[in-house]
Amino acid sequence: MPQPSAPRKTLGRPPRISREEVVTTARRIVDAEGVDRLTMRRLATEIGSTPMALYHHVRNKEELLVLLLDDYAARTLHRPELPAQPRERVVVAAAAIHEALAACPWIVEVLTADDLMSTSALWFVEQIVDGLVGCGLTPERAVHGYRTIWYYTAGEIVVRTTAARRRTDDDRPTYRERVFADLDPSEFPRLAQLAAHWAPLTAENTYLDGLRALVEGLLAAG
Amino acid sequence: MPQPSAPRKTLGRPPRISREEVVTTARRIVDAEGVDRLTMRRLATEIGSTPMALYHHVRNKEELLVLLLDDYAARTLHRPELPAQPRERVVVAAAAIHEALAACPWIVEVLTADDLMSTSALWFVEQIVDGLVGCGLTPERAVHGYRTIWYYTAGEIVVRTTAARRRTDDDRPTYRERVFADLDPSEFPRLAQLAAHWAPLTAENTYLDGLRALVEGLLAAG
DNA sequence: GTTACTTTCTTTACATGTATAAAAACTCGC
DNA sequence: GCGAGTTTTTATACATGTAAAGAAAGTAAC
């Protein structure tokens, strides 16, 4: 019995703000002015409270960002039609996650979280693991395969977006450019040969090709 | 002629500290007390200068960390004997980079740099690209292949080390644990089935397996 | 009511990276 | 030697995340 005798109000000082309000307001700020403008003070005044009050609803700023990512995923990560063939299901599910995350580059600092374990992403994880099992992998290998895909996906996004960020707030020659500039062709023939093409080549988006290769390799090994 | 007539001393106020001194001192601090203890103020006093003076030798703290990584790579990333077979050469070269970086987890914030373009890593990049070409890929596909490998490698390290870091400075139940706790087995049968094994499975180090799968897939595609 | 206890909120304070402006220390042309 | 120009160093200041302490606002037992 859910104790109807004791309506038992909550103890302690009643909260004036809620975790949800914190997240919602944070989202508004980020949507309107970008993640750089999201500071704890700004958020607090926007919400009509004090910075430290937020810390009763959110462990720290990083957790707030994780919650924002969750919120974002819940709103935009809709379950697509997946192919029946398990192998293609894996590819399409992974690509869907990648696409959603790539469109939302401010989460880079969060992306490095353990797995992508937002509740809304769970379905995709299930599809990937199940697809791998459907291709003949043992469940254990399927989990490993999922993680390998996740490493690749997270790495691609993190590397690409921080590279892009660096390029915007700084137009001095890249470290890479300097390295390529004084390259000894006799010691590094391939790199010297490719030097001129390196930048355009790395600018290409080859996530999907890499993903297909990775999945193919995972299945061949299993 | 290197103008011997004009010994041409450098203009302006002579520097009291050098970039090299900055990096060396920073390295000493990091080695002795960890990267968390490396602050610009601490570094300045250690060096007998002021915080802002450092900024004439280093663009900002991030660049300092990149330089530290370079320095680290130059000291520890020795060129191993590589197999003659190009495909194994790729695997061994990538694994060598991974091993060196994984042993030095504080560089995570730097790792997200564009490519791994430390001068000392160049040789490995050359080996990987050349190995892929040796397996029959076009130079363009080899570059893409290298980048795919790099995404996977960087992602693995970043995800793993930040997960580990999070675990040390916090022993509350993980987000993941909570997610797995209330998992609907009818909606997510695979994940529910694997829930108990998830943590040990993800704790396993499967970098090399994933790498081999990835290389195999890249070659099959090319 | 009064006291004890609990939770939330506020105040104050600190460490950190770094922007900005000014001072200091030098060379060069005269 | 002197002013102009250049580079490095210093002083000061600010924004940010968040720790620590305690005040505020409620419930429960008496």
Side-chain angles (χ1 to χ4, degrees), chain A residues 78-151:
Chain A
H78 297 123
R79 305 180 180 184
E81 288 285 325
L82 290 191
Q85 201 211 349
R87 181 199 155 114
E88 268 305 288
R89 209 158 81 228
V90 172
V91 171
V92 173
I97 290 183
H98 177 262
E99 188 186 9
L101 292 180
C104 167
W106 51 265
I107 26 68
V108 169
E109 30 268 294
V110 178
L111 249 198
T112 58
D114 201 350
D115 308 78
L116 178 64
M117 272 302 168
S118 161
T119 325
S120 2
L122 267 192
W123 182 79
F124 291 85
V125 178
E126 170 83 16
Q127 297 306 315
I128 292 174
V129 173
D130 188 60
L132 290 174
V133 173
C135 290
L137 296 199
T138 66
E140 288 76 23
R141 292 192 79 89
V143 172
H144 288 149
Y146 158 70
R147 281 189 74 85
T148 302
I149 292 174
W150 172 239
Y151 293 149

Side-chain angles (χ1 to χ4, degrees), chain A residues 59 62 70 112 114-115 126 130 151 158-160 162 166 170 172 175-176 189-191 202 204, chain B residues 59 62 70 112 114-115 126 130 144 147 151 158-160 162 166 170 172 175-176 189-191:
Chain A
R59 193 184 312 176
E62 184 176 329
D70 270 13
T112 58
D114 201 350
D115 308 78
E126 170 83 16
D130 188 60
Y151 293 149
V158 168
V159 170
R160 278 189 104 81
T162 59
R166 220 162 298 207
D170 192 350
R172 287 199 249 172
Y175 192 49
R176 188 170 70 192
R190 288 285 175 215
L191 299 184
T202 64
E204 288 177 36
Chain B
R59 192 184 314 177
E62 185 177 329
D70 271 12
T112 59
D114 200 352
D115 308 79
E126 170 84 16
D130 189 60
H144 288 149
R147 281 190 74 85
Y151 293 149
V158 169
V159 170
R160 279 189 103 83
T162 59
R166 220 162 297 208
D170 191 351
R172 287 199 248 173
Y175 192 50
R176 188 170 71 193
R190 288 285 174 215
L191 299 184

Side-chain angles (χ1 to χ4, degrees), chain B residues 90-134:
Chain B
V90 173
V91 171
V92 173
I97 290 182
H98 178 262
E99 188 185 10
L101 292 180
C104 167
W106 52 264
I107 26 66
V108 170
E109 30 268 294
V110 178
L111 248 198
T112 59
D114 200 352
D115 308 79
L116 179 64
M117 273 299 165
S118 162
T119 324
S120 3
L122 267 192
W123 182 79
F124 291 85
V125 179
E126 170 84 16
Q127 298 305 315
I128 291 174
V129 172
D130 189 60
L132 290 174
V133 173

